[in-house]
Amino acid sequence: MSHSSFPPSLQPPSFSTGKYTVNEVEERTGVAATTLRQWERRYGFPNPERSSAGYRLYSDRDIHQIQTMKGHISNGIPASRAAELVKELQIPLATPQPLPRLREELIRAFIDLDEAAADAVLAEAHTLYPVEAVMRDLLASTMIELGDLWHQGRITTTTEHLASSYVYGRLRSLFNLASTNQMGPVAIVACAPLDQHELGALMVAVALRRSGFRVYYLGANTPVDDLAEMAHTIRPACVLISASTAASVEELTIKRETLQDMPALAVYGGSAFNDRPELATTLGGLYLAPDIDRAMEQLLKSLSSQLGEGY
Ligand code: B12
């Protein structure tokens, strides 16, 4: 596939955009923050951008350089020579492995029950693409494709469960890694009653946290009465509810009035609402979009009068 045929979301310009905090970089590369600053001073890289508050924000390109440097040092090359090699290296900005190919490899890894291979695919994806693209074009689409294969009887339930559990673990790490903005607007994310489909809701929680929200993620099968009580107590800016099955939407419908009384913007999403967005209006809430990027954009627009400038 030629590079120019990538959909816009997969284009590599974001490769050199600063987006990871030093803690995220430390977690991803295993190189300590103090060492990173030392390399920056001595060798001129990594060369992170700065946030408006002055924090370092590292790009995928920085991560790539850090990993290369680390690899050289662990191969016994002295640090100063390793730095020269990294700087000489022209990072192949234009030839990342396309995400659809990584998706095929990830599906193959699950079918082979090979978690180490899945780890390798994810490591490569995170080096090349922003978290949002990895969630949307790798993790979500892998789950949907595995769902289709399962439906056709071409994979077993155990393969689907292994994949779900693996993807859940990955998303949970992304959620934990995204730094919490203590001053950010508060959001509660929950799955509807009876709903065990958590992966979409967890992706929403990751995206919200990365957009600066302070997120309470409640997970699967959340009773409406308890959710509403929590909303009355903590008064969030928004409550986001995910539903994938008709039975869960039915449960929400029974509790429509309780949901409408919540002192927050109620947002509904998930495959049950993607199929029938009008259900959100019936519940007195908002349906945004099937994909998370657009949903985040529209959520920020809907909340803009409450949130003021900067969001
Ligand atoms: C994995 C899976 C499971 C796992 C879930 C594991 C887990 N920890 O999440 C398990 C094994 C538990 C499961 C169980 C069942 N499942 Co299931 N499952 C799936 C599968 C294969 C993938 C779901 C998934 O993760 N998709 C990827 C995520 C990222 O997509 P998503 O949820 O749509 O989320 C995206 C958007 O919708 C959006 N989003 C999600 N939530 C929200 C919320 C807000 C506010 C916003 C803004 C956006 C948003 O963001 C995401 C990113 O784009 C789907 C197949 C499919 N095509 O989706 C079936 C599917 C959802 N399951 C289905 C069924 C029928 C069941 C069971 C009834 C099966 C059974 N007979 O036991 C049970 C029901 C369990 C329950 N009570 O909830 C049906 C639902 C059909 C329907 N409309 O009713 C599907 C579609 C399969 C099918 N083709 O029949 N399942």
Side-chain angles (χ1 to χ4, degrees):
M1 185 198 280
S2 86
H3 179 239
S4 57
S5 65
F6 282 14
S9 60
L10 304 188
Q11 293 285 3
S14 55
F15 199 63
S16 49
T17 307
K19 48 190 171 284
Y20 306 111
T21 63
V22 71
N23 289 342
E24 286 175 303
V25 174
E26 217 180 295
E27 180 80 20
R28 228 168 251 205
T29 61
V31 179
T34 44
T35 309
L36 293 175
R37 281 195 293 273
Q38 205 179 57
W39 289 355
E40 193 180 322
R41 253 193 337 270
R42 288 196 187 153
Y43 311 123
F45 78 85
N47 189 12
E49 289 174 18
R50 296 280 179 155
S51 71
S52 51
Y55 294 114
R56 286 174 170 80
L57 287 178
Y58 295 82
S59 66
D60 289 308
R61 186 194 185 97
D62 291 323
I63 290 185
H64 191 292
Q65 288 183 319
I66 294 162
Q67 285 169 331
T68 310
M69 177 80 175
K70 187 182 167 194
H72 287 329
I73 292 173
S74 63
N75 285 333
I77 299 174
S80 55
R81 176 63 191 139
E84 279 170 22
L85 289 172
V86 171
K87 284 196 271 186
E88 278 166 19
L89 181 76
Q90 277 303 314
I91 293 170
L93 279 178
T95 53
Q97 172 91 299
L99 272 175
R101 191 165 321 137
L102 290 176
R103 183 170 61 232
E104 278 168 30
E105 287 177 17
L106 186 59
I107 290 170
R108 170 52 48 201
F110 290 135
I111 291 172
D112 293 344
L113 309 178
D114 186 348
E115 290 203 333
D119 288 344
V121 172
L122 263 298
E124 183 167 1
H126 279 302
T127 310
L128 296 171
Y129 296 99
V131 165
E132 284 70 17
V134 172
M135 290 200 299
R136 181 188 55 234
D137 299 317
L138 184 60
L139 298 178
S141 54
T142 292
M143 286 316 302
I144 290 167
E145 196 159 333
L146 285 174
D148 289 345
L149 291 173
W150 176 81
H151 209 61
Q152 295 157 16
R154 291 169 61 197
I155 62 163
T156 60
T157 302
T158 45
T159 299
E160 175 279 306
H161 276 27
L162 180 81
S164 294
S165 151
Y166 181 91
V167 170
Y168 176 85
R170 281 283 170 171
L171 292 172
R172 191 68 226 189
S173 304
L174 291 174
F175 182 69
N176 294 344
L177 271 178
S179 43
T180 298
N181 175 6
Q182 292 297 349
M183 305 304 287
V186 175
I188 302 178
V189 181
C191 296
L194 305 183
D195 213 313
Q196 299 295 342
H197 298 94
E198 290 209 51
L199 305 180
L202 195 43
M203 285 182 198
V204 170
V206 172
L208 283 166
R209 200 173 248 191
R210 287 174 57 82
S211 304
F213 282 78
R214 190 143 61 92
V215 183
Y216 292 90
Y217 177 69
L218 307 184
N221 185 17
T222 307
V224 169
D225 290 336
D226 295 341
L227 178 62
E229 194 183 316
M230 180 173 174
H232 282 283
T233 309
I234 66 167
R235 306 231 151 216
C238 48
V239 176
L240 296 99
I241 300 176
S242 177
S244 296
T245 64
S248 294
V249 174
E250 180 59 33
E251 291 294 309
L252 293 173
T253 309
I254 294 168
K255 296 283 182 181
R256 191 173 48 220
E257 285 173 12
T258 311
L259 290 164
Q260 282 171 5
D261 276 353
M262 287 191 304
L265 176 68
V267 179
Y268 296 94
S271 56
F273 289 99
N274 298 338
D275 294 343
R276 296 185 55 200
E278 73 284 359
L279 290 173
T281 322
T282 316
L283 293 170
L286 202 62
Y287 171 83
L288 298 171
D291 76 276
I292 290 180
D293 293 348
R294 271 198 297 144
M296 283 304 116
E297 226 171 79
Q298 290 181 22
L299 177 65
L300 291 173
K301 266 191 210 147
S302 308
L303 291 173
S304 58
S305 57
Q306 277 188 53
L307 299 182
E309 278 189 22
Y311 281 98

